[in-house]
Amino acid sequence: MSQTKTGSAATTEAPAKEPRGARRKRETRQRLMKAALELMAARGMDGVAINEITEAADVGFGSFYNHFDSKEAIHAELMREVLNSFGETMDHISNNLEDPAEILSTAVRYAVQRSADNPVWGRFLIQTALSADILSGLGQYMLRDIQRGIASGRFKLKDPLMAFTSVGGTVIGALTAQMEFAPADSTAKKVAQQLGLNLENIPERTASTVLQILGLTNEQADEVAHRPLPPVELRDSLF
Amino acid sequence: MSQTKTGSAATTEAPAKEPRGARRKRETRQRLMKAALELMAARGMDGVAINEITEAADVGFGSFYNHFDSKEAIHAELMREVLNSFGETMDHISNNLEDPAEILSTAVRYAVQRSADNPVWGRFLIQTALSADILSGLGQYMLRDIQRGIASGRFKLKDPLMAFTSVGGTVIGALTAQMEFAPADSTAKKVAQQLGLNLENIPERTASTVLQILGLTNEQADEVAHRPLPPVELRDSLF
DNA sequence: ATTATCTATAGATCTATAGATAATGC
DNA sequence: ATTATCTATAGATCTATAGATAATGC
């Protein structure tokens, strides 16, 4: 248990009075996190050696253990941070909107769009969603939003469990699809285009699909899914 | 390239004339496959050492290389075999039913139910669905069934891509959920029950959900999803 | 003096192969 | 004689730690 955890792990700007050594340590930690994020997004936790992380971070090998106890530990930290950053955005969205359908729609559009813009982030978000128990990751936010919609009567569900499963699966499927299609030269994109599939506006179409699963009519869902997106403030140092 | 591939990898009964040595070899291979299947279902390909596979199969370590070139090779073989066995069942279902909705419903009910009965099989099916490109796994069968339904007019889709994504995500989500809930003492099960969630008949409810995504009304979907299941013949040596 | 980093390395783990042993089939 | 298995091991890879070096802060 030799490592020190900085109070608020994600903040970039230090409290001004932060001594130089502490800043240096924080920066090293940050470099390790960033390097691990990219490597593990691409190849998964098991596919990456600590050696590779320190190399990519341009940090001495032994320094890794000044910051993390193990590979599992840094991976867990990364998941925690991706989720926290996502959660904060979600809270921000929730606090500025009334309609539960619009809240969920905004969250979905945000997640899908951001995964296309930043596949490293997206791949990691998917890892958190699939890892261990569902409700420790993405699922908890979805569940909260869905319950809110049920309570308010906006969502009318005959089968809450299946609705939850289906919404979750749809979102993860869309994140995956979006990242397959995002690169301009991807084979997935070519195949899809040959099949005549529409690859525009996937965030909005995902949101609409999700809302229909939750009981809105086609028209209602499309309307909500195309409302103007409120600006979302991002403050992640990692991405 | 020292290994020999038996013609039809999955068959149990040999052509009677098979010499003793060949049978012995086939049985060793089979034991390796079975052991790897269980270990890799639980811990993933990377989490298992070849050593552990031969130990579990009660086979000398070096013998592994009489049958497979690498860990990747045996994993690929396992995916291929799980998928083939699934595909044959799907073909059997397709050939004996007319209604595209019923064909897809039967396939979904079969996959979900069998995952509950045999979590090792289920976990592997999920691995095939998530691995590499979507359409090499489960997806190809779904895509075929959905296209058939569109062609016949049974499914009316405004957005084929999202329908496909959503159906795929829903099925994988249901497979996962079903396996979480299947063990009598699982925590997931307790949590779900405390939330008042209905855990009965998940195969049928998944099928119904999928059909609704594909444009059937609630009532139509429920009716199809509860038709009597035609008997399905299984002939997998591995499970 | 303290703290964070670095280099170097011991030990564990794992893969792939070589060569010996045992069983089969002619 | 051939074939499949086995045991034993060399070599590669990776983790975790020890001890040296450099920078900071008093």
Side-chain angles (χ1 to χ4, degrees):
Chain A
M1 213 46 61
S2 68
Q3 82 207 48
T4 311
K5 292 214 177 92
T6 315
S8 58
T11 48
T12 303
E13 355 72 90
K17 300 295 279 181
E18 183 187 41
R20 200 192 322 249
R23 190 186 63 206
R24 190 162 161 63
K25 181 167 188 181
R26 189 170 40 72
E27 285 168 352
T28 298
R29 181 192 153 94
Q30 184 81 341
R31 282 216 304 286
L32 288 169
M33 289 280 277
K34 253 189 158 124
L37 181 77
E38 303 208 356
L39 290 167
M40 289 179 170
R43 283 185 264 145
M45 187 189 75
D46 288 333
V48 179
I50 293 174
N51 171 6
E52 298 179 276
I53 298 172
T54 54
E55 204 88 351
D58 197 23
V59 162
F61 179 72
S63 300
F64 180 88
Y65 293 93
N66 288 335
H67 299 275
F68 307 98
D69 284 338
S70 64
K71 197 162 67 171
E72 285 72 22
I74 194 173
H75 185 253
E77 272 299 296
L78 283 169
M79 294 215 299
R80 210 177 59 79
E81 199 148 315
V82 169
L83 259 187
N84 272 354
S85 105
F86 181 76
E88 283 179 23
T89 306
M90 289 309 98
D91 291 342
H92 182 253
I93 290 172
S94 297
N95 293 337
N96 289 282
L97 294 172
E98 287 294 324
D99 178 6
E102 188 170 4
I103 291 173
L104 185 60
S105 160
T106 307
V108 168
R109 290 167 69 186
Y110 168 75
V112 175
Q113 182 59 51
R114 186 165 178 187
S115 293
D117 295 341
N118 186 342
V120 168
W121 185 85
R123 285 186 206 292
F124 235 90
L125 192 68
I126 291 177
Q127 283 186 32
T128 73
L130 298 179
S131 89
D133 98 286
I134 295 174
L135 291 181
S136 64
L138 256 191
Q140 61 181 315
Y141 297 103
M142 275 179 23
L143 184 58
R144 185 184 66 179
D145 288 348
I146 292 177
Q147 283 174 326
R148 192 171 309 176
I150 294 175
S152 80
R154 181 70 152 134
F155 302 150
K156 300 187 204 319
L157 303 181
K158 291 179 48 180
D159 192 336
L161 174 63
M162 282 311 306
F164 179 71
T165 303
S166 183
V167 169
T170 299
V171 171
I172 292 178
L175 290 177
T176 307
Q178 180 71 302
M179 287 187 311
E180 295 280 327
F181 296 140
D185 59 340
S186 80
T187 36
K189 184 171 183 177
K190 285 174 198 154
V191 171
Q193 285 174 333
Q194 269 182 332
L195 290 171
L197 296 174
N198 173 10
L199 299 182
E200 310 274 300
N201 303 322
I202 293 188
E204 286 71 31
R205 288 155 65 198
T206 306
S208 176
T209 302
V210 161
L211 292 177
Q212 289 177 56
I213 292 170
L214 294 170
L216 274 69
T217 66
N218 198 318
E219 291 72 24
Q220 289 172 325
D222 273 344
E223 184 271 316
V224 174
H226 286 86
R227 288 184 193 164
L229 261 188
V232 175
E233 64 178 38
L234 295 184
R235 52 169 208 70
D236 301 308
S237 46
L238 266 187
F239 311 103
Chain B
M1 212 46 59
S2 68
Q3 82 207 50
T4 310
K5 293 218 177 85
T6 313
S8 57
T11 46
T12 304
E13 354 73 88
K17 299 295 280 181
E18 183 186 41
R20 200 192 321 250
R23 191 185 62 208
R24 190 162 162 62
K25 181 166 189 182
R26 189 170 42 72
E27 285 168 351
T28 299
R29 181 192 153 95
Q30 183 82 341
R31 282 216 305 287
L32 289 168
M33 288 281 277
K34 254 191 157 124
L37 181 77
E38 304 209 355
L39 290 167
M40 289 178 170
R43 283 185 264 146
M45 187 189 74
D46 288 333
V48 178
I50 293 174
N51 172 4
E52 298 178 276
I53 298 173
T54 54
E55 204 88 351
D58 197 25
V59 162
F61 178 73
S63 299
F64 180 88
Y65 292 93
N66 287 335
H67 299 274
F68 307 99
D69 284 337
S70 64
K71 198 162 64 170
E72 285 72 23
I74 194 173
H75 186 252
E77 272 299 297
L78 284 169
M79 295 214 300
R80 210 177 59 78
E81 199 148 317
V82 169
L83 259 187
N84 272 354
S85 106
F86 181 76
E88 284 180 22
T89 306
M90 290 308 98
D91 291 341
H92 182 253
I93 290 172
S94 297
N95 294 337
N96 288 281
L97 293 172
E98 287 294 325
D99 179 7
E102 186 170 5
I103 290 173
L104 185 60
S105 160
T106 306
V108 169
R109 289 166 70 185
Y110 168 75
V112 176
Q113 182 59 49
R114 186 165 178 186
S115 292
D117 295 341
N118 186 343
V120 168
W121 185 86
R123 285 187 205 291
F124 235 89
L125 191 68
I126 291 177
Q127 284 186 31
T128 73
L130 299 179
S131 88
D133 100 286
I134 295 176
L135 290 181
S136 65
L138 256 192
Q140 61 180 313
Y141 297 104
M142 275 179 24
L143 183 58
R144 186 184 64 180
D145 289 348
I146 292 176
Q147 282 175 326
R148 192 170 310 177
I150 294 175
S152 78
R154 181 70 152 136
F155 302 149
K156 301 185 204 319
L157 303 181
K158 291 178 49 182
D159 192 338
L161 174 63
M162 282 310 306
F164 179 71
T165 303
S166 183
V167 168
T170 299
V171 171
I172 292 178
L175 289 178
T176 307
Q178 179 71 302
M179 286 187 311
E180 295 280 327
F181 296 141
D185 58 341
S186 80
T187 36
K189 184 171 183 176
K190 284 174 198 153
V191 172
Q193 284 172 335
Q194 268 181 333
L195 290 171
L197 295 174
N198 174 10
L199 298 182
E200 311 273 298
N201 304 322
I202 292 188
E204 286 71 31
R205 288 155 65 197
T206 306
S208 175
T209 301
V210 161
L211 292 177
Q212 289 176 57
I213 293 169
L214 294 171
L216 274 69
T217 66
N218 199 318
E219 290 73 24
Q220 289 172 326
D222 274 343
E223 185 270 317
V224 174
H226 286 87
R227 288 184 193 164
L229 261 188
V232 175
E233 65 179 39
L234 296 184
R235 52 170 209 69
D236 300 308
S237 46
L238 266 187
F239 309 103

Short mmCIF file of all heavy atoms in Angstrom, two decimals, chain B residues 33-53:
data_model
loop_
_atom_site.label_atom_id
_atom_site.label_comp_id
_atom_site.label_asym_id
_atom_site.label_seq_id
_atom_site.Cartn_x
_atom_site.Cartn_y
_atom_site.Cartn_z
N MET B 33 -10.34 -29.56 -26.41
CA MET B 33 -11.38 -28.59 -26.79
C MET B 33 -12.35 -28.36 -25.62
O MET B 33 -12.68 -27.23 -25.28
CB MET B 33 -12.16 -29.11 -28.00
CG MET B 33 -11.38 -29.08 -29.30
SD MET B 33 -11.33 -27.44 -30.06
CE MET B 33 -12.90 -27.40 -30.93
N LYS B 34 -12.79 -29.42 -25.01
CA LYS B 34 -13.74 -29.30 -23.92
C LYS B 34 -13.16 -28.51 -22.76
O LYS B 34 -13.81 -27.62 -22.20
CB LYS B 34 -14.14 -30.70 -23.42
CG LYS B 34 -15.54 -31.13 -23.82
CD LYS B 34 -15.96 -32.40 -23.09
CE LYS B 34 -17.45 -32.52 -23.02
NZ LYS B 34 -17.94 -33.79 -23.60
N ALA B 35 -11.92 -28.86 -22.41
CA ALA B 35 -11.28 -28.16 -21.29
C ALA B 35 -11.12 -26.68 -21.61
O ALA B 35 -11.43 -25.81 -20.80
CB ALA B 35 -9.92 -28.79 -20.99
N ALA B 36 -10.65 -26.41 -22.83
CA ALA B 36 -10.44 -25.01 -23.22
C ALA B 36 -11.77 -24.26 -23.25
O ALA B 36 -11.86 -23.10 -22.85
CB ALA B 36 -9.77 -24.94 -24.59
N LEU B 37 -12.80 -24.92 -23.71
CA LEU B 37 -14.12 -24.28 -23.76
C LEU B 37 -14.54 -23.79 -22.39
O LEU B 37 -14.93 -22.63 -22.22
CB LEU B 37 -15.14 -25.29 -24.29
CG LEU B 37 -16.56 -24.77 -24.42
CD1 LEU B 37 -16.70 -23.91 -25.65
CD2 LEU B 37 -17.56 -25.91 -24.46
N GLU B 38 -14.45 -24.65 -21.40
CA GLU B 38 -14.90 -24.27 -20.06
C GLU B 38 -14.02 -23.19 -19.47
O GLU B 38 -14.50 -22.21 -18.90
CB GLU B 38 -14.92 -25.48 -19.15
CG GLU B 38 -15.78 -26.60 -19.72
CD GLU B 38 -16.38 -27.47 -18.65
OE1 GLU B 38 -16.06 -27.28 -17.46
OE2 GLU B 38 -17.20 -28.35 -19.03
N LEU B 39 -12.71 -23.37 -19.60
CA LEU B 39 -11.80 -22.39 -19.01
C LEU B 39 -11.95 -21.04 -19.70
O LEU B 39 -12.01 -19.99 -19.04
CB LEU B 39 -10.36 -22.89 -19.12
CG LEU B 39 -10.02 -24.08 -18.22
CD1 LEU B 39 -8.69 -24.71 -18.61
CD2 LEU B 39 -9.98 -23.64 -16.75
N MET B 40 -12.02 -21.04 -21.02
CA MET B 40 -12.08 -19.77 -21.74
C MET B 40 -13.45 -19.11 -21.64
O MET B 40 -13.56 -17.89 -21.74
CB MET B 40 -11.69 -19.99 -23.20
CG MET B 40 -10.21 -20.28 -23.39
SD MET B 40 -9.78 -20.58 -25.13
CE MET B 40 -7.97 -20.56 -25.02
N ALA B 41 -14.47 -19.90 -21.45
CA ALA B 41 -15.79 -19.30 -21.22
C ALA B 41 -15.76 -18.51 -19.93
O ALA B 41 -16.30 -17.40 -19.86
CB ALA B 41 -16.87 -20.38 -21.16
N ALA B 42 -15.10 -19.06 -18.95
CA ALA B 42 -15.08 -18.40 -17.64
C ALA B 42 -14.12 -17.22 -17.60
O ALA B 42 -14.45 -16.17 -17.04
CB ALA B 42 -14.70 -19.41 -16.56
N ARG B 43 -12.94 -17.39 -18.21
CA ARG B 43 -11.91 -16.38 -18.01
C ARG B 43 -11.42 -15.70 -19.28
O ARG B 43 -10.49 -14.88 -19.22
CB ARG B 43 -10.72 -17.02 -17.29
CG ARG B 43 -10.98 -17.23 -15.81
CD ARG B 43 -9.74 -17.77 -15.11
NE ARG B 43 -9.77 -19.21 -14.98
CZ ARG B 43 -8.70 -19.99 -15.05
NH1 ARG B 43 -7.52 -19.46 -15.25
NH2 ARG B 43 -8.80 -21.30 -14.91
N GLY B 44 -12.01 -16.05 -20.41
CA GLY B 44 -11.57 -15.45 -21.66
C GLY B 44 -10.29 -16.08 -22.16
O GLY B 44 -9.57 -16.74 -21.40
N MET B 45 -10.01 -15.88 -23.43
CA MET B 45 -8.85 -16.53 -24.02
C MET B 45 -7.55 -16.14 -23.30
O MET B 45 -6.74 -17.00 -22.96
CB MET B 45 -8.72 -16.16 -25.49
CG MET B 45 -7.63 -16.94 -26.19
SD MET B 45 -7.29 -16.34 -27.85
CE MET B 45 -6.40 -14.82 -27.49
N ASP B 46 -7.38 -14.85 -23.06
CA ASP B 46 -6.12 -14.39 -22.48
C ASP B 46 -5.91 -14.88 -21.05
O ASP B 46 -4.78 -14.99 -20.59
CB ASP B 46 -6.07 -12.86 -22.48
CG ASP B 46 -5.89 -12.30 -23.87
OD1 ASP B 46 -5.31 -13.01 -24.71
OD2 ASP B 46 -6.32 -11.17 -24.12
N GLY B 47 -7.00 -15.15 -20.37
CA GLY B 47 -6.89 -15.51 -18.97
C GLY B 47 -6.51 -16.96 -18.72
O GLY B 47 -6.41 -17.38 -17.57
N VAL B 48 -6.31 -17.72 -19.76
CA VAL B 48 -6.06 -19.15 -19.63
C VAL B 48 -4.71 -19.50 -20.24
O VAL B 48 -4.41 -19.09 -21.36
CB VAL B 48 -7.17 -19.96 -20.33
CG1 VAL B 48 -6.90 -21.45 -20.23
CG2 VAL B 48 -8.53 -19.61 -19.75
N ALA B 49 -3.90 -20.27 -19.51
CA ALA B 49 -2.63 -20.72 -20.04
C ALA B 49 -2.78 -22.12 -20.65
O ALA B 49 -3.59 -22.92 -20.17
CB ALA B 49 -1.57 -20.75 -18.95
N ILE B 50 -2.00 -22.38 -21.67
CA ILE B 50 -2.06 -23.68 -22.34
C ILE B 50 -1.85 -24.80 -21.32
O ILE B 50 -2.55 -25.82 -21.32
CB ILE B 50 -0.99 -23.75 -23.45
CG1 ILE B 50 -1.34 -22.76 -24.56
CG2 ILE B 50 -0.88 -25.16 -24.01
CD1 ILE B 50 -0.28 -22.65 -25.64
N ASN B 51 -0.91 -24.59 -20.47
CA ASN B 51 -0.67 -25.42 -19.31
C ASN B 51 -1.96 -25.83 -18.58
O ASN B 51 -2.19 -27.01 -18.31
CB ASN B 51 0.23 -24.59 -18.39
CG ASN B 51 0.42 -25.23 -17.04
OD1 ASN B 51 -0.05 -26.34 -16.82
ND2 ASN B 51 1.11 -24.56 -16.16
N GLU B 52 -2.79 -24.88 -18.29
CA GLU B 52 -4.04 -25.16 -17.58
C GLU B 52 -4.98 -26.02 -18.41
O GLU B 52 -5.70 -26.87 -17.88
CB GLU B 52 -4.76 -23.87 -17.23
CG GLU B 52 -3.99 -22.94 -16.31
CD GLU B 52 -4.77 -21.67 -16.05
OE1 GLU B 52 -4.70 -20.72 -16.88
OE2 GLU B 52 -5.46 -21.61 -15.03
N ILE B 53 -4.97 -25.77 -19.69
CA ILE B 53 -5.85 -26.55 -20.57
C ILE B 53 -5.42 -28.01 -20.56
O ILE B 53 -6.24 -28.91 -20.35
CB ILE B 53 -5.81 -26.00 -22.01
CG1 ILE B 53 -6.32 -24.57 -22.04
CG2 ILE B 53 -6.64 -26.89 -22.93
CD1 ILE B 53 -6.15 -23.89 -23.40
#
